[in-house]
Amino acid sequence: MNIYKKQPNTRLRLNLLTVIIYIIGIILLLQLFNLQIINGATYREESNTRLTRESTIYAARGNITDSSGNLLATVQSGYSAELYKTKSDNETLNKTILNIINVLEQNQEAYIDTLPIKINPYEFTITDEGKLKQWKKKYKLENNATAEDAFKYFKKRYEINTENLADARKIMGLRYRITTEGYSSTRSISIADNLSQKSVSTFSEKNDLFGGLTIVTKATRIYPNGKLASHILGYVGRINGDEYSEKKSEGYLINDYMGRTGVEDLFEKYLKGTNGTRQLGMSVDGAVTEEYTEKEAIQGSTLVLTIDANLQTVTEKALQDTIEGIKNGAYGKKYPATAGAIVVMNVKNGEVLAMASNPDYEPQLFESGIKKEKYDEYQKIDAFYNRAISGGYAPGSTFKMLTAITALQEGKVGIKERINDSGPYPLGHHPACWLYNQSRRTHGPLNVTDAIKHSCNYFFYESGYRAGIEQINRYAKYFGLGVKTGIELTNESAGIIANPEDLLKSEGEIWSAGHTLSASIGQGRHKFTPIQMVKYISTLVNGGDRINPTIIKTIQTASGEEISKAEIQAHTKKILGGTNDDSENLEISQQYIDVILEGMKDVTSENGGTAYSVFKNFNFQIGGKTGSAQTKKNNVETTNACFVGFAPYNEPEIAIAVVIEGGGTGKYAAYAARDVIAQYFGMNEEDIVEDVTARPYTEQQT
């Protein structure tokens, strides 16, 4: 009975719900009628004039610092102009481009123009005939087409109607970049970086004249110390079209920069950072109406190097000053010194504290695009060539410690044995010591310590001949000579160890006793890099325990975490590959090491030592060895100056290697080493008095 009484209430609620649904439907129909019929044209027009597109928030590149946190490469926030594609026709686009470029030129702003055509007079900027031919083929131009023909072709192609050649060329330059690099309504093309506030204000205030133009904030790479450590740091450059095709899957954009050389290149993965995104509301003519951040950018990791910026500064100056001093006769006889390198390394952990290569260059010039004239100037003097890791040099007499350790360890020469320098050596091509060649005098009987002190060639001819070239090379490789060190820089050279097989293969010449004699004093075909030489000396002072050079102290992410050493090593090996060091472990006797190091001490600390006059006023003892290596450069005979050393003598902390191309005598290279060592140990350099009265000499003649 109760069920039947509730039925009328149920029907009432159902009817009420039906009425409400009908009312809502009528309202929706009326609103739809209003949107589509009454105000449809108005809303369609408004919709067509509003676009939404995504803009990139560029990540700041990671900093590069020295071991104490001093900035070597950093970023500076600036403004960049980027252009998006709009629905405008060619005539409107050309006017917009001309408006943009006129503002930039009025404010003396640099902008990117890659079209290889000049006007007044007409000429191509591509000087290589093969590349020019390929370029013409790409754009379906005849092989004999002139620069004027090409200009007219592009003028017609881009529908540039102005008769003003200068204006036409400006428009053409950016249209050409659009053709080669591409852009769209969602992907911009970069026009100019590092805009002045004046340009930014003009572009913002007169937005309607620059349809599709967007001003974005971008962190620009800055090298605050000019040329300092340029070969270590390297430089960055804008990504090109081919690279973009390969790198876009890794998050790169057509407007991005990437490392080109040095650690900027090798550690690009860590330095790059992660871009963010911003949503832009724009009208159909390209004017920005609103914007908001969708995803924040993440700055790249900080790369901490092992070098000391102050020591690096002094090292580069010492190298430059010594080269100039040698050329000007400041140390005695003039020699045509042209270039050189210095490497300073912590002998305990292998950290490179300073690495200089001269000539050097200005990394900052590449950030916005280096001028061709300046680039050609750098190319002419090999300024991009890192001589510290790529330059192969005959070591000269700095190799004599290696010959000595081989002969001693293999039992071919005794610690107290004296070998008599009697004039011309009786075997091979009968070479004589440098002293005999200069004065017809000899050193007489010498033990190994005195032979190193006086750099007696005769002693090492005999030691090398007894040991044999196979054993000499075996020990050379163990000490890191002729083997890549694995330093975290691109383009490291493995160098060359003189050996019979290579001589026969390259020259068709049979190895003879004379070749062994030359190799024993660091001449002949030996070619080693300064970084290998400093590893060799470090291994020597460590009692034969090898240690590998490194220039990376750590990598710190934006969140403060440190990348593990294992990951850094794996990353480096993946890109550079491993070293070619397959040498066996040699157990070097400490007694042999000691007599050799004593000889190196006498070189700098005792009268008669080949570098005594350079270091005699030091307030502590160091070990060193001079070397003068005859070579040919551009078919002209010249002598490179070499010096290797360590300090202090009793408790070695650092090793140093210096090479100066055309430096004449190893003693002169020691002057550069002296200034660097003095800086490292905080000595007052003004108290070091130079003695230039000692007679210059060349330590060997072959």
Side-chain angles (χ1 to χ4, degrees):
M1 295 298 292
N2 292 334
I3 295 175
Y4 291 107
K5 288 180 180 179
K6 291 181 180 179
Q7 285 180 345
N9 292 333
T10 302
R11 291 194 189 97
L12 179 61
R13 285 196 295 270
L14 182 60
N15 291 335
L16 182 59
L17 181 60
T18 302
V19 170
I20 292 171
I21 291 173
Y22 274 112
I23 292 172
I24 292 172
I26 292 169
I27 292 172
L28 290 174
L29 287 172
L30 290 173
Q31 182 63 19
L32 185 61
F33 181 79
N34 177 57
L35 290 172
Q36 292 189 341
I37 306 302
I38 299 176
N39 294 308
T42 302
Y43 287 127
R44 278 193 296 273
E45 182 179 355
E46 183 178 345
S47 176
N48 287 336
T49 58
R50 296 174 65 182
L51 300 170
T52 300
R53 61 169 58 107
E54 190 175 83
S55 174
T56 299
I57 303 174
Y58 291 97
R61 195 169 180 82
N63 292 326
I64 304 175
T65 76
D66 78 343
S67 58
S68 299
N70 297 304
L71 289 171
L72 301 174
T74 185
V75 291
Q76 178 177 291
S77 183
Y79 297 102
S80 298
E82 297 185 355
L83 187 66
Y84 286 90
K85 186 176 183 179
T86 65
K87 295 181 179 179
S88 58
D89 56 21
N90 272 323
E91 182 178 359
T92 303
L93 175 59
N94 291 339
K95 287 181 180 178
T96 298
I97 288 173
L98 186 58
N99 290 339
I100 293 170
I101 292 177
N102 283 340
V103 171
L104 294 174
E105 290 188 342
Q106 287 167 11
N107 297 327
Q108 298 182 331
E109 309 272 18
Y111 59 92
I112 306 166
D113 185 335
T114 57
L115 180 66
I117 302 172
K118 286 184 178 180
I119 60 172
N120 298 323
Y122 290 104
E123 61 180 346
F124 291 113
T125 58
I126 300 175
T127 56
D128 184 276
E129 288 296 328
K131 291 181 179 179
L132 181 59
K133 185 177 180 180
Q134 290 177 354
W135 182 83
K136 289 180 179 180
K137 182 178 180 181
K138 180 178 179 180
Y139 293 99
K140 298 180 180 179
L141 293 167
E142 298 291 336
N143 283 337
N144 60 352
T146 64
E148 184 176 4
D149 294 334
F151 179 86
K152 291 178 179 178
Y153 163 79
F154 284 109
K155 188 172 184 291
K156 180 179 180 181
R157 174 173 177 167
Y158 299 138
E159 298 181 17
I160 301 172
N161 297 321
T162 178
E163 296 304 317
N164 185 306
L165 293 182
D167 286 349
R169 176 61 185 78
K170 294 174 187 177
I171 297 168
M172 196 180 298
L174 186 50
R175 291 296 301 272
Y176 175 77
R177 279 198 60 224
I178 290 172
T179 300
T180 55
E181 298 180 17
Y183 77 150
S184 69
S185 60
T186 58
R187 182 168 70 84
S188 63
I189 187 169
S190 181
I191 298 175
D193 295 324
N194 305 319
L195 297 180
S196 65
Q197 191 59 53
K198 189 173 182 181
S199 290
V200 173
S201 298
T202 302
F203 288 137
S204 300
E205 292 168 4
K206 301 179 180 179
N207 191 282
D208 57 321
L209 296 177
F210 315 106
L213 186 71
T214 302
I215 304 301
V216 298
T217 302
K218 188 184 291 185
T220 302
R221 195 47 145 183
I222 299 295
Y223 300 93
N225 303 297
K227 294 182 177 181
L228 187 71
S230 58
H231 292 95
I232 300 171
L233 299 175
Y235 57 86
V236 298
R238 188 183 297 276
I239 194 170
N240 61 41
D242 292 338
E243 290 169 333
Y244 170 68
S245 299
E246 296 176 5
K247 295 284 188 179
K248 61 182 178 182
S249 62
E250 300 175 27
Y252 283 87
L253 302 174
I254 191 64
N255 300 323
D256 274 339
Y257 285 76
M258 59 188 297
R260 297 298 185 189
T261 60
V263 294
E264 290 274 30
D265 174 26
L266 187 58
F267 293 95
E268 169 70 17
K269 169 185 173 181
Y270 298 98
L271 291 167
K272 180 185 182 299
T274 304
N275 291 334
T277 54
R278 177 187 293 111
Q279 291 295 333
L280 299 176
M282 304 182 76
S283 62
V284 72
D285 61 3
V288 177
T289 58
E290 61 179 341
E291 61 180 275
Y292 66 89
T293 299
E294 184 176 65
K295 176 185 174 184
E296 295 287 355
I298 301 173
Q299 183 172 5
S301 299
T302 295
L303 191 62
V304 182
L305 304 181
T306 59
I307 70 168
D308 177 283
N310 293 328
L311 187 65
Q312 180 73 23
T313 300
V314 171
T315 301
E316 291 185 12
K317 185 177 187 302
L319 181 58
Q320 176 65 37
D321 289 349
T322 303
I323 291 171
E324 293 299 322
I326 292 171
K327 286 194 293 188
N328 297 329
Y331 309 119
K333 183 178 178 180
K334 292 182 181 181
Y335 289 96
T338 57
I342 300 178
V343 181
V344 187
M345 192 170 89
N346 183 319
V347 300
K348 301 301 183 185
N349 57 22
E351 291 185 350
V352 174
L353 306 176
M355 178 188 288
S357 179
N358 185 282
D360 51 9
Y361 62 91
E362 185 82 42
Q364 195 65 57
L365 298 179
F366 290 86
E367 201 282 332
S368 56
I370 189 171
K371 294 185 181 300
K372 184 178 183 302
E373 294 76 13
K374 189 64 178 179
Y375 184 82
D376 291 343
E377 176 187 327
Y378 280 149
Q379 287 276 59
K380 187 175 181 180
I381 60 174
D382 280 340
F384 304 121
Y385 186 52
N386 187 353
R387 290 164 169 79
I389 66 167
S390 302
Y393 301 97
S397 294
T398 62
F399 188 76
K400 289 175 178 176
M401 291 84 73
L402 191 286
T403 301
I405 201 69
T406 305
L408 289 168
Q409 185 73 18
E410 293 300 312
K412 304 301 181 181
V413 173
I415 289 178
K416 297 181 180 180
E417 180 182 356
R418 291 179 176 273
I419 295 175
N420 183 34
D421 173 11
S422 57
Y425 190 72
L427 300 176
H429 52 291
H430 307 296
C433 185
W434 60 269
L435 181 62
Y436 182 85
N437 290 330
Q438 286 189 358
S439 64
R440 289 297 183 268
R441 293 184 294 116
T442 69
H443 288 110
L446 296 173
N447 62 22
V448 64
T449 298
D450 288 337
I452 291 173
K453 172 185 174 180
H454 295 291
S455 197
C456 177
N457 287 355
Y458 193 105
F459 182 96
F460 295 101
Y461 290 144
E462 178 65 15
S463 298
Y465 182 76
R466 292 183 190 179
I469 192 62
E470 290 79 10
Q471 291 296 341
I472 291 173
N473 289 348
R474 176 173 165 239
Y475 279 78
K477 196 167 187 180
Y478 177 80
F479 277 82
L481 300 174
V483 181
K484 286 186 179 182
T485 67
I487 187 79
E488 301 95 338
L489 291 168
T490 55
N491 300 317
E492 182 185 7
S493 170
I496 300 171
I497 296 179
N499 65 80
E501 294 78 12
D502 286 348
L503 179 66
L504 182 62
K505 183 177 179 180
S506 61
E507 305 291 337
E509 188 175 343
I510 302 297
W511 190 270
S512 66
H515 291 109
T516 298
L517 301 182
S518 294
S520 298
I521 62 167
Q523 280 290 155
R525 297 174 60 80
H526 285 320
K527 297 283 188 261
F528 307 132
T529 63
I531 190 71
Q532 291 173 353
M533 296 297 292
V534 85
K535 178 180 178 179
Y536 150 52
I537 299 302
S538 295
T539 302
L540 193 63
V541 301
N542 280 329
D545 293 334
R546 298 187 296 176
I547 193 161
N548 292 319
T550 179
I551 206 160
I552 304 299
K553 199 171 191 70
T554 188
I555 301 176
Q556 299 172 342
T557 67
S559 60
E561 298 177 0
E562 285 198 358
I563 304 298
S564 70
K565 287 286 186 183
E567 181 179 337
I568 295 172
Q569 290 170 357
H571 171 78
T572 303
K573 186 174 182 180
K574 180 180 178 182
I575 296 177
L576 299 180
T579 70
N580 55 334
D581 186 2
D582 57 358
S583 58
E584 60 186 300
N585 186 36
L586 300 176
E587 298 293 335
I588 309 296
S589 173
Q590 188 61 47
Q591 63 174 333
Y592 301 143
I593 296 285
D594 290 342
V595 295
I596 289 172
L597 297 185
E598 184 181 352
M600 294 180 72
K601 172 182 67 69
D602 293 348
V603 167
T604 63
S605 303
E606 289 195 5
N607 193 16
T610 56
Y612 171 68
S613 63
V614 179
F615 293 98
K616 67 179 183 180
N617 292 315
F618 259 40
N619 55 19
F620 60 89
Q621 291 180 325
I622 74 166
K625 184 69 190 78
T626 56
S628 306
Q630 292 180 331
T631 186
K632 278 188 177 182
K633 186 173 183 179
N634 299 325
N635 293 320
V636 176
E637 293 282 351
T638 186
T639 302
N640 293 337
C642 308
F643 179 85
V644 294
F646 63 93
Y649 171 71
N650 290 324
E651 293 291 336
E653 294 181 27
I654 63 170
I656 186 170
V658 182
V659 176
I660 297 179
E661 296 178 14
T665 171
K667 174 190 168 185
Y668 291 171
Y671 283 108
R674 182 201 65 181
D675 293 346
V676 175
I677 295 171
Q679 168 67 23
Y680 178 84
F681 289 101
M683 296 174 62
N684 184 351
E685 295 182 29
E686 294 180 358
D687 291 339
I688 303 172
V689 180
E690 293 184 8
D691 181 358
V692 296
T693 60
R695 181 182 177 185
Y697 59 87
T698 300
E699 295 171 4
Q700 48 70 43
Q701 300 288 338
T702 59

